[in-house]
Amino acid sequence: MNIKQTYFDILSIIPENKHRKLFIFFIKSILNGLLDLISMAYVVPILILFFDPKKLESMVSTHLNYTINLHSSWVLFLSLGLLLLFFIKTIIQTKFNSALYRFLFDISTELSMASITNFINEKYLQFQKEDKGKILQSITTVPDDFCRNLLHSFIFLFSEIFVLIIILTSLLILYFKITLIILLVVLSFSTFIYFIQRRRFLLFDTIYHKSESKANNHILNILDGFLEIKSSQNEEYFLNEYKKEKSLLNNVSAELISYYSNYSKYLEIFLILCLAILTFFSFQKNDTIVLFSILGAVCLRLIPSISKIMNGITMINSHFYTIEVLNKIKHKKERGINIFNSTIELRNIYFSYGKNAILKNCNINIKKGSFIGLKGNSGIGKTTFIYLILGVLEPQKGNYLIDEKEINIGNFLSFANYVPQQPFLFKGSIIDNIVMGQEKANINYDYIFFLCKKLALHDVIEKLNNGYKTILEHNSLRLSGGQKQRLAIVRALYTKPDLLILDEATNQQNKSLEQQIFIFLKELSINSKTTIINVSHNKDVDSFLDDIYIIKDEKLENIIDS
């Protein structure tokens, strides 16, 4: 691990507005360690005072050139003062820890938001290529692992190294030979254990990176294929696939946590062995007691310090994959086109998926307020052409013009709204599903009621127990397929789009309801100049259309020209 490069990698990931605060926490963590040293510094003389007062008098006289009377009352007051300082130190450290963890999880939230924002701003083709399990991992697990395991360990790594250096320097000054022996033994043991386990830590990093996304994909498979999995009686296969990856993850986590807990125990055992060996040296009785007392007190901080350093390096190596994942986040948002006054024109459009050509030399001129139909056999490229109009796909060749001005396309047109055959519903009230996050104070309830009445939904909703406040689950079964489609159309119309695209969005309606919907859409087309493109095989609605285009043999033909 290159500490300098890791530091710069961390800075490149953390939002810039957090850099200064991160540096402050680095300094505070070192000061926090210094407080521990100060408390340890006054524990040592108290122990010497208790076991061998004459030695303390000698040390003060030798090193400070000062004579003290240990039987005077000021010694008692000094001891009480040191006790008070210990309590103050504890309060300061608890407040520091609380502030640090709030800071870390604030960063985790921002990184999670950056990840999901990066995902939702991707171009459609890139979205199609993405591993959805990895997307979930980068949004949920990775930011938390980065902040809670890697960044937290990195911050404390410096403070613990600082503490270790001060403790060892002090001990080397007081008891050079013995400290050097213990130091060499402990560091040799620590290094030996670390290098034995290093390959496993790198393996942990790989498993965390890969298995989490695989487990997420198995969850998505089960959620998306619920009915098909149950009807084919393949539940056991999908559950076992998920269990395999989840068990691997949990086994790695268990091993890592146990290593984190057990490392200090190994160090304690070695230290006890070292101290036992030292009893065979020719120390006088009082010196031995004092030495053991001092080393015991110091080791209350020394062993945890060495343990934290090794564990910190372990956690960084085991979660280094988070840096690789988070470094791929692009903090960029491309704005869609939001102006449409007269025409949208596509000229000589060519589009293919790889070598498979879908559309060749296609031309269309869409006038504002027109009602256009798009037809063609299944799989012929209708939805692809709609995505080209919406701007979510970029043609390999051809020109895209809005109001006779050529633009670079590839981002969703902000003045358009799209209703697919299978509408999206999320957990929330019916109103929430219509307004999609609009502030309650700005919701136009009258317009919602108007749209619902026009689309024969108002009475259906009012019959529900809580009316428009009824909570729907994700892809709720409380509404029929046709009712969901009409709710999706209400949602699309509520934004008053200049361009509305319906992709088989009424194919679950009965004939009379579909006619009612298209009568209203025609009114919007004429009176509000809403441009509508309807993808449908149904000839019953052709009478409402101004133009009808058909995709055939990779070409776009106008079979009715207004």
Side-chain angles (χ1 to χ4, degrees), residues 7 85 114 117 190 221 229 245 267 279 291 312 331 336 348 376 382 457 503 521 541:
Y7 174 73
L85 285 175
T117 301
S190 302
N221 290 339
I229 290 171
E245 298 301 333
L267 287 175
T279 58
L291 176 62
H331 301 280
N348 302 319
K382 300 187 298 298
L457 262 182
D503 191 354
L521 293 175
V541 299

Side-chain angles (χ1 to χ4, degrees), residues 397-444:
K397 296 178 184 178
N399 308 98
Y400 196 111
L401 295 86
I402 293 181
D403 299 331
E404 300 182 352
K405 293 180 180 178
E406 186 169 351
I407 62 168
N408 293 320
I409 204 62
N411 296 291
F412 200 96
L413 300 175
S414 58
F415 57 76
N417 220 320
Y418 170 68
V419 184
Q421 180 178 345
Q422 299 296 333
F424 159 69
L425 297 180
F426 59 90
K427 182 168 184 176
S429 69
I430 290 175
I431 285 291
D432 292 336
N433 271 273
I434 292 172
V435 301
M436 296 279 277
Q438 186 179 21
E439 293 289 336
K440 288 185 178 181
N442 298 326
I443 295 174
N444 188 340

